[in-house]
């Protein structure tokens, strides 16, 4: 049987990320009849009731916080009175610690941090999960819903959770940038721009399919015959560990920003 939401369920903020998760749940056939999205613009979210302000009436048993981290201060005071001992709170906010969330929502039954990436819409996402609350049933409820959207690893500590956020949460942007650079390179060498984009995209999709069956190293090895053309290209990427250094610096910058956001959110309380 398809897992469902404890209802009423509120999606407080439902833009890019929460919207992508709803798309994944919709395609998984999850019953969304008791789910309400709350967003100031009132822009409809397909499959769920959409309203512009917190509903009155029965308290929610499930709340997913999908606003920007900087909006927590604006949203928490009005939301906290609705988050009681029957409410599971799932936070999508990057860089806002479980301790900060607990301080804002002291009565929540359980607080779970979830760091998702946009392929959740395709049910091929990665969503790291972390909770400091010892509530196995609440964890199971969240786990069952998130597992419908792709991989859902639980993290032992918040540091690992942040690293998964930097690698997978932001990852689609990084991978997309590399594919775009590949396309631009082809264009620079004379290919029609649309054709260059199409072949870069298909190369990305094809490689992703192969990577489910064999290691990245094997893929590179099979493409690059000794003394061939690819080997020359890889030598450029590998020189002085250039690509790895660039990626390490990229992840470091994202993690540093996460720490900054966490410190700002904690200081504001
Ligand atoms: N995008 C990603 O790939 C990604 C990856 C990892 C983590 N995240 C996390 O996901 C969260 C959301 O990011 P996003 O990219 O989805 O942002 P977004 O597209 O800007 O969505 C933010 C949502 O918050 C709503 N909102 C703003 N003020 C509100 C208020 N006072 N009360 C209720 N809702 C309010 C917005 O409503 P309107 O639609 O009406 O403007 C919108 O639906 C962030 O905390 C981010 O750290 C995102």
């Amino acid at each position: 049987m398809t897992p469902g939401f404890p209802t009423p369920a509120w999606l407080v903020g439902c833009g890019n990320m929460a919207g992508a998760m709803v798309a994944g749940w919709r395609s998984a056939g999850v019953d969304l009849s008791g789910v309400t999205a709350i967003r100031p613009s009132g822009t409809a979210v397909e499959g769920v009731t959409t309203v512009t302000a917190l509903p009155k009436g029965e308290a929610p048993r499930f709340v997913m916080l999908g606003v920007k981290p900087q909006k927590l201060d604006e949203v928490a005071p009005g939301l906290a009175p609705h988050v009681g001992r029957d409410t599971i709170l799932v936070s999508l906010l990057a860089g806002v610690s479980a301790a900060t969330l607990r301080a804002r929502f002291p009565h929540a039954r359980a607080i779970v941090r979830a760091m998702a990436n946009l392929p959740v819409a395709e049910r091929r996402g990665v969503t790291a999960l972390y909770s400091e609350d010892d509530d196995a049933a609440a964890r199971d409820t969240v786990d069952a819903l998130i597992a419908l959207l792709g991989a859902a690893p639980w993290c032992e500590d918040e540091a690992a959770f942040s690293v998964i956020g930097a690698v997978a949460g932001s990852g689609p942007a990084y991978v997309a940038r590399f594919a775009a650079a590949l396309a631009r390179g082809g264009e620079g060498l004379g290919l029609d721009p649309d054709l260059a984009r199409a072949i870069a995209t298909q190369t990305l999709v094809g490689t992703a399919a192969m990577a489910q069956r064999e290691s990245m190293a094997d893929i590179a090895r099979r493409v690059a015959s000794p003394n061939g053309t690819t080997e020359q290209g890889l030598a450029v990427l590998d020189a002085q560990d250039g690509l790895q250094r660039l990626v390490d610096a990229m992840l470091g910058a994202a993690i540093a920003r996460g720490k900054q956001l966490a410190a700002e959110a904690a200081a504001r309380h």
Side-chain angles (χ1 to χ4, degrees), residues 137-213:
R139 283 173 186 244
D140 287 350
T141 298
V142 175
D143 191 276
L145 284 166
I146 298 292
L148 292 170
L149 306 177
W154 283 92
C155 298
E156 291 291 321
D157 56 62
E158 222 159 19
F161 179 86
S162 300
V163 172
I164 297 184
V167 173
S170 309
Y174 303 145
V175 174
R177 266 288 212 283
F178 188 84
L182 205 53
R184 260 199 313 278
E187 198 183 324
L189 291 168
L191 284 185
D192 169 79
D194 288 342
L195 177 62
R197 203 171 319 120
I199 61 164
T201 304
Q202 187 60 16
T203 301
L204 184 68
V205 171
T207 309
M210 289 171 71
Q212 292 186 311
R213 286 180 279 102

Side-chain angles (χ1 to χ4, degrees), residues 239-268:
Q240 282 101 44
D241 243 356
L243 178 64
Q244 193 59 57
R245 281 168 191 252
L246 195 61
V247 168
D248 290 347
M250 174 190 86
L251 295 176
I255 286 173
R257 177 62 179 146
K259 286 185 178 153
Q260 202 176 31
L261 283 173
E264 283 170 16
R268 278 195 302 261

Side-chain angles (χ1 to χ4, degrees), residues 7-25:
T7 57
W10 293 0
L11 311 178
V12 181
C14 195
N16 263 310
M17 180 46 79
M21 295 170 82
V22 171
W25 284 319

Side-chain angles (χ1 to χ4, degrees), residues 41-139:
S41 66
T43 309
V45 180
E46 194 186 335
V48 303
T49 306
T50 309
V51 298
T52 56
L54 298 178
K56 299 200 179 356
E58 202 185 340
R61 290 174 60 225
F62 185 97
V63 170
M64 190 166 86
L65 207 47
V67 298
K68 292 281 189 198
Q70 296 86 342
K71 289 270 175 181
L72 179 63
D73 287 329
E74 188 182 316
V75 170
L79 179 60
H82 300 276
V83 176
R85 60 168 194 268
D86 289 332
T87 314
I88 298 171
L89 180 86
V90 174
S91 166
L92 304 182
L93 276 54
V96 177
S97 70
T100 297
L101 291 162
R102 179 51 75 184
R104 307 295 171 111
F105 302 100
H107 305 299
R109 170 183 161 190
I111 293 176
V112 179
R113 291 189 65 189
M115 180 54 62
N117 67 8
L118 286 177
V120 288
E122 319 289 334
R123 303 185 60 205
R124 288 168 176 267
V126 174
T127 309
L129 296 167
Y130 174 75
S131 180
E132 293 182 350
D133 300 313
D134 196 15
D135 184 330
R139 283 173 186 244

